[in-house]
Amino acid sequence: MKNLEVTCPKCKKKFNYYSSAFRPFCTEKCRLIDLGQWLNESYTVPASKITVEEAEQLEQLLNEKEEPSDEEDSTH
Ligand SMILES: [Zn+2]
């Protein structure tokens, strides 16, 4: 059996990548926690694969949240 030691992105615990059915997470719990955060905070990009379209949508969300506040200064 292959043995590849990786670190769970959620709990930082080391485990054998090939022994987990929930990789890249060590357990279902970690995967569900991460999935829950992904759904609640749609701008938190999971480490695993997303499509190009999803990436573009996320970039738009991020850009909307980072609007410069220069206009506030001109009102003075
Ligand atoms: Zn974990």
Side-chain angles (χ1 to χ4, degrees):
M1 184 176 169
K2 292 179 185 175
N3 188 0
L4 174 64
E5 193 177 66
V6 294
T7 304
C8 174
K10 194 74 242 162
C11 68
K12 311 299 182 191
K13 197 176 80 179
K14 287 191 174 181
F15 68 101
N16 182 358
Y17 184 87
Y18 295 102
S19 71
S20 172
F22 310 103
R23 55 208 191 198
F25 304 98
C26 64
T27 60
E28 183 179 21
K29 187 180 157 193
C30 284
R31 192 185 68 161
L32 288 176
I33 291 171
D34 198 77
L35 184 65
Q37 290 184 351
W38 160 246
L39 292 173
N40 290 333
E41 311 170 32
S42 59
Y43 51 84
T44 303
V45 184
S48 50
K49 341 149 199 168
I50 58 173
T51 65
V52 174
E53 282 184 359
E54 285 170 336
E56 284 174 355
Q57 287 174 356
L58 287 168
E59 267 182 39
Q60 285 178 356
L61 282 171
L62 287 170
N63 289 336
E64 283 171 14
K65 287 179 183 298
E66 289 176 7
E67 284 177 14
S69 56
D70 290 343
E71 286 178 25
E72 286 178 21
D73 292 336
S74 62
T75 58
H76 287 287

